Amino acid sequence: MTRRVTKAVFPVAGMGTRFLPATKSVPKEIMTLVDRPLIQYAIDEARAAGITEFIFVTARGKSALEDYFDLAPDLEAKLEASGKTELLDILQSTNMDSGAIAYIRQQKAMGLGHAVWCARRLIGDEPFAVILPDDVIAAETPCLQQMVDAYEGVGGCMVAAMEVPPEKASAYGVLDIEEDHGSLVRARGMVEKPAKGSAPSNLAVIGRYILSPSVMETLDEKKLGAGGEIQLTDAIAAEISAGRGVHGLRFRGQRFDCGSKSGFLQATVAFGLARPDLRDEFSRYLDDVYAMRKAAE
Ligand code: UTP
């Protein structure tokens, strides 16, 4: 029997340089996709998967993120007094239970593995999820829920995986596949940002993980990996070397890399078109843009 996963780590201490100058004063995770900050999508996905403890690994300049999760009693009272119940419901749906969120500082951006390691004392000896909020996933069943369901059958560590074109593999952590069972694959290795042409497969790891607490012991060693950073991928690969199972789940859904400008724009279009209140006007606009581009060719 696997233990239930109730804790999630959100590493949000990165500097978000790809979004400069915006990220000079706005944390990347507060940037809005339609009308909700990226972090809200991540929190909603975690909640849907049964997570009750939310651990943010933050850094200097991220106070807007902490403020976002404070209650807004004045705003609530104003909306209530003016009968704006729909907006009040939206606002209240973002409220978190007292004590459900913990913030830890990563004093120096030493890599994703190091950010996760910063949460070790709050994780203790339980399996835990890791969610990178800049990977936004549109899915009928939220991605982490799919992973929790699959994890119950296999335990160990689980990563969300998706096929990428071979020329893009060097931008990701990539799985070396031992057994391929369709949606679930068992890994025999994992490589972070493999050199071009040397990726062991096209199956890339994206920002959702369920990890065994033993990963923290490897991260304790603070070994530097690709890019001179402490890599989470290396700590997960060490689980395989130690004889513990690591699986990749080919999740059902579409992932948007909102850590990149192009991915963020694509997500904006997809999430805008998925919104019943915006769909008609927005799709008419996109049709017009497309027609004008065609006419100009
Ligand atoms: P990225 O590689 O996207 O880095 O980190 P970044 O700093 O956020 O963005 P760019 O590349 O400068 O534009 C992936 C995830 O890991 C977290 C980031 O916050 C992001 O969620 N991270 C990365 C940390 O928390 N600490 C680190 O030291 C590195």
Side-chain angles (χ1 to χ4, degrees), residues 10-20 23 28-29 57-58 62 106 108-116 131-134 193 229-230 257 259-260:
F10 299 82
V12 290
M15 292 193 273
T17 54
R18 282 171 287 172
F19 279 97
L20 281 171
T23 43
K28 179 169 62 173
E29 301 74 23
V57 181
T58 71
K62 297 274 179 166
Q106 184 191 27
K108 212 171 154 201
M110 291 170 70
L112 177 58
H114 182 260
V116 169
I131 296 187
L132 306 190
D134 40 13
K193 300 194 173 59
E229 296 194 333
I230 300 174
D257 175 11
S260 78

Side-chain angles (χ1 to χ4, degrees), residues 200-215:
S201 76
N202 291 341
L203 203 53
V205 174
I206 58 114
R208 301 288 183 277
Y209 311 76
I210 295 176
L211 300 179
S212 151
S214 49
V215 164

Side-chain angles (χ1 to χ4, degrees), residues 104-165:
I104 293 178
R105 282 280 177 119
Q106 184 191 27
Q107 281 118 333
K108 212 171 154 201
M110 291 170 70
L112 177 58
H114 182 260
V116 169
W117 174 81
C118 289
R120 67 201 176 282
R121 294 210 173 83
L122 291 179
I123 292 300
D125 64 353
E126 289 180 43
F128 61 102
V130 175
I131 296 187
L132 306 190
D134 40 13
D135 272 341
V136 176
I137 301 169
E140 213 161 286
T141 304
C143 180
L144 190 63
Q145 177 67 60
Q146 295 177 39
M147 292 174 71
V148 165
D149 292 344
Y151 170 80
E152 279 168 9
V154 291
C157 288
M158 179 162 292
V159 298
M162 68 174 206
E163 314 288 342
V164 295

Side-chain angles (χ1 to χ4, degrees), residues 169-210:
S170 57
Y172 294 87
V174 178
L175 293 176
D176 188 358
I177 301 170
E178 181 166 74
E179 292 168 24
D180 195 333
H181 301 285
S183 64
L184 205 58
V185 304
R186 190 184 169 93
R188 73 155 75 89
M190 227 174 131
V191 194
E192 183 62 30
K193 300 194 173 59
K196 282 209 175 354
S198 73
S201 76
N202 291 341
L203 203 53
V205 174
I206 58 114
R208 301 288 183 277
Y209 311 76
I210 295 176

